[in-house]
Amino acid sequence: MMDYLLALDQGTTSSRAILFTRQGEVAASAQIPFAQHYPQPGWVEHDPMDLLDSQLRAAAQCVAQAGVRPGQIAGLGLANQRETALLWEKDTGKPVGNAIVWQCRRTADFCTQLRQQGYTEAIRARTGLLPDAYFSGTKYRWLLNHLPGARQRAERGELLCGTVDSWLLWNLTGGRVHASDYSNCSRTMLFDIHRQQWDETLCQLLDVPRNILPRPVENSGDLGAVAPGVPHLEALAGLPIRGMAGDQQAALFGQGCFAAGQLKNTYGTGCFTLLNTGSRPVTSQNGLLTCIGWGLGGQTTYVLEGSVFNAGSSIQWLRDELGIIRQASQCDQLAEEVPDNGGVYFVSAFTGLGAPHWDMYARGTMVGLTRGTTKAHLCRAVLEGIAYQTADLIAAMERDAGERIASLRVDGGASVSDFMMQYQADLLGVPVERPKVVETTAWGAACLAGLGAGLWQSPQEIIRDQVPGKVYTPGADRSREYARWHQALERAKAWEEE
């Protein structure tokens, strides 16, 4: 009986594979890191073959560890680091140069030029994005302009480009399928999110030939099958590929946020918050991004996305730079040793402030220190500060969406903090829900594959199969502390570079 789903989660620093039961339980997993390349300050690259090889080996190890026969796996789903751009030869599959990673800032000057030339609103109207080096389109342009002969070869139809989802899919299918799903397409700055197709005007503006771009496809369905002879996966030849999504959208789907108004927050190094806005794309007035969450059965679901730059990194700062804790879990333990923050408030603007403030000159600020301040107060202030910034971001989303949220679903490494999750619920005044299975990105890819393979007929059936987790219900009124934190926030914003 085909009761398993294989999810491949290709991330920024490692490739992972997880085999799930249809109930969402992890049967086996494997993870393989790969090298990062920094050829110049602000530049970040990956070797495309490292991405591919590590992902294929992780998949093979995962299935072997589980001892599951290939015939027991209903389908394969892909999740990936978004915006990373690749170029490869159509006939041989050989990469042309390294991949430009989403973190890379090498095209920032060109994006500034687009803004100065007045293209910001035209780009946002079509794509929901703002001109920024973050997105894939300007990376494709750079590869074509700087790799020897690349533009001429592309114009002759000899090259293909894509994000990591399309690179994996092309290789898994033995070069038979060159496609990218709607969620990844919507992060390129070349994709009309309203018509679900590449925009000819933007392709011309960014000088990216449409003939090298992958075919846009929905996030669940027949995406091909693992081809015979794929390295490390010979035993999985013929396995159907039935789902694909960018990592943050996959996490939203894995959290079961299928209805408009539902949202999730990932507490990682930073925080990524995505709000499902249903079939209506909402143009943000608060610096948020409008993207496609997923396309299923001819219906497109849109999301608003925003980020807090420093979340878990603040806890790492306490551990690595200040040395007041030895491991991250101690931050939670110390925070609960004191009844309050002792008047200490922290703004984690180490690299400026993201949405809704967008102040690149703000800097990390700790206020209210006295001789009675202890390391427990500092730990509590840091955890509270993450919750405050998240509350600001969600308030911006509520303003854009024109309605209050009913609950917040959470995941990511820092979401294990019981103290912070309870404080977040108090601040928002709504339940905070943490799933039992925290591998939400991979689980989202598996769910999309399960839908495509027919294990479920609708997302609502997946909800019934999900393993329940922990719910934090609102308790104390935190409005007074929240107001005081905003005073600290204004001091962080007042900082100016000399």
Side-chain angles (χ1 to χ4, degrees):
M1 190 172 181
M2 293 191 296
D3 273 342
Y4 293 94
L5 293 162
L6 178 61
L8 308 187
D9 182 5
Q10 203 298 300
T12 307
T13 58
S14 68
S15 295
R16 306 171 68 225
I18 302 180
L19 190 69
F20 290 97
T21 68
R22 64 175 294 161
Q23 289 77 29
E25 297 171 342
V26 175
S29 65
Q31 182 172 4
I32 298 176
F34 52 84
Q36 310 291 304
H37 302 280
Y38 307 99
Q40 294 185 31
W43 290 27
V44 190
E45 296 180 354
H46 289 157
D47 182 336
M49 296 309 297
D50 284 349
L51 302 183
L52 178 62
D53 182 66
S54 61
Q55 188 62 83
L56 297 180
R57 286 191 291 122
Q61 289 179 19
C62 176
V63 174
Q65 175 189 333
V68 170
R69 298 189 308 277
Q72 294 177 272
I73 305 173
L76 183 152
L78 301 173
N80 61 285
Q81 55 166 310
R82 303 177 301 174
E83 299 96 19
T84 296
L86 303 94
L87 197 63
W88 66 92
E89 294 179 351
K90 185 176 182 179
D91 289 340
T92 68
K94 180 181 178 182
V96 180
N98 276 347
I100 303 180
V101 180
W102 59 273
Q103 300 159 314
C104 187
R105 306 302 297 176
R106 73 183 66 183
T107 64
D109 288 345
F110 178 66
C111 292
T112 298
Q113 179 183 326
L114 290 175
R115 291 194 293 270
Q116 292 173 343
Q117 293 174 343
Y119 288 111
T120 298
E121 289 309 313
I123 289 172
R124 179 157 64 175
R126 289 174 168 86
T127 70
L129 308 177
L130 301 172
D132 196 275
Y134 186 12
F135 307 113
S136 314
T138 60
K139 296 177 171 64
Y140 295 143
R141 177 182 181 271
W142 192 96
L143 289 169
L144 291 170
N145 286 346
H146 290 83
L147 298 181
R151 182 163 296 282
Q152 292 75 19
R153 296 184 67 191
E155 291 172 353
R156 292 196 300 265
E158 297 174 8
L159 302 182
L160 298 174
C161 73
T163 42
V164 173
D165 60 316
S166 58
W167 167 244
L168 293 178
L169 184 64
W170 194 88
N171 281 282
L172 285 167
T173 60
R176 291 177 176 84
V177 182
H178 182 221
S180 181
D181 70 85
Y182 288 175
S183 70
N184 277 292
C185 290
S186 74
R187 304 290 293 188
T188 61
M189 221 167 76
L190 295 170
F191 193 68
D192 188 324
I193 62 173
H194 310 284
R195 296 183 298 150
Q196 292 87 50
Q197 60 185 344
W198 301 116
D199 186 272
E200 184 61 41
T201 300
L202 293 178
C203 287
Q204 291 177 2
L205 178 65
L206 271 61
D207 206 11
V208 177
R210 283 187 64 178
N211 67 297
I212 70 170
L213 289 165
R215 173 172 55 92
V217 295
E218 290 192 342
N219 294 79
S220 182
D222 185 356
L223 300 174
V226 176
V230 173
H232 309 293
L233 298 187
E234 291 84 358
L236 296 182
L239 178 65
I241 304 167
R242 293 294 182 262
M244 190 162 65
D247 53 9
Q248 296 305 320
Q249 286 95 330
L252 187 70
F253 201 84
Q255 284 277 24
C257 295
F258 305 134
Q262 293 182 315
L263 75 164
K264 69 89 186 175
N265 188 43
T266 299
Y267 295 81
T269 300
C271 286
F272 287 92
T273 309
L274 271 69
L275 170 68
N276 183 329
T277 63
S279 59
R280 179 174 65 100
V282 175
T283 300
S284 176
Q285 302 302 315
N286 294 280
L288 305 176
L289 303 174
T290 306
C291 310
I292 292 178
W294 49 78
L296 296 173
Q299 300 296 316
T300 302
T301 295
Y302 294 90
V303 298
L304 279 173
E305 179 173 336
S307 61
V308 172
F309 294 157
N310 292 279
S313 58
S314 304
I315 301 170
Q316 294 167 349
W317 171 69
L318 291 175
R319 181 192 66 196
D320 300 338
E321 276 70 45
L322 298 190
I324 66 174
I325 56 174
R326 291 191 302 275
Q327 53 192 24
S329 59
Q330 284 184 289
C331 188
D332 215 40
Q333 296 164 7
L334 285 167
E336 297 195 76
E337 289 182 2
V338 289
D340 55 45
N341 60 19
V344 179
Y345 293 87
F346 177 64
V347 182
S348 62
F350 295 126
T351 54
L353 293 167
H357 308 288
W358 294 112
D359 187 339
M360 62 183 176
Y361 297 111
R363 286 297 178 265
T365 303
M366 187 86 73
V367 301
L369 299 174
T370 69
R371 281 296 302 272
T373 300
T374 68
K375 61 182 180 180
H377 291 121
L378 295 182
C379 287
R380 181 166 177 137
V382 163
L383 294 178
E384 288 180 359
I386 296 171
Y388 292 134
Q389 286 205 66
T390 300
D392 268 8
L393 182 54
I394 291 173
M397 289 191 161
E398 290 178 327
R399 291 194 296 271
D400 277 335
E403 58 186 60
R404 286 271 295 158
I405 66 167
S407 64
L408 173 66
R409 301 183 183 185
V410 300
D411 54 59
S415 72
V416 301
S417 169
D418 289 327
F419 170 82
M420 185 165 62
M421 295 303 98
Q422 182 59 56
Y423 203 88
Q424 192 76 77
D426 294 344
L427 268 179
L428 298 176
V430 300
V432 169
E433 304 168 2
R434 185 177 65 203
K436 182 176 180 180
V437 177
V438 295
E439 305 289 356
T440 55
T441 296
W443 174 236
C447 289
L448 289 166
L451 280 173
L455 287 188
W456 304 287
Q457 299 306 309
S458 72
Q460 287 65 38
E461 291 185 20
I462 302 173
I463 294 176
R464 291 200 295 271
D465 275 352
Q466 282 186 320
V467 178
K470 185 169 183 177
V471 177
Y472 301 84
T473 56
D477 179 6
R478 302 295 184 183
S479 56
R480 179 172 174 270
E481 294 97 325
Y482 194 20
R484 289 194 170 186
W485 178 80
H486 274 110
Q487 294 177 346
L489 177 69
E490 292 308 311
R491 298 187 185 189
K493 289 180 177 179
W495 184 268
E496 292 184 3
E497 295 280 1
E498 293 183 359

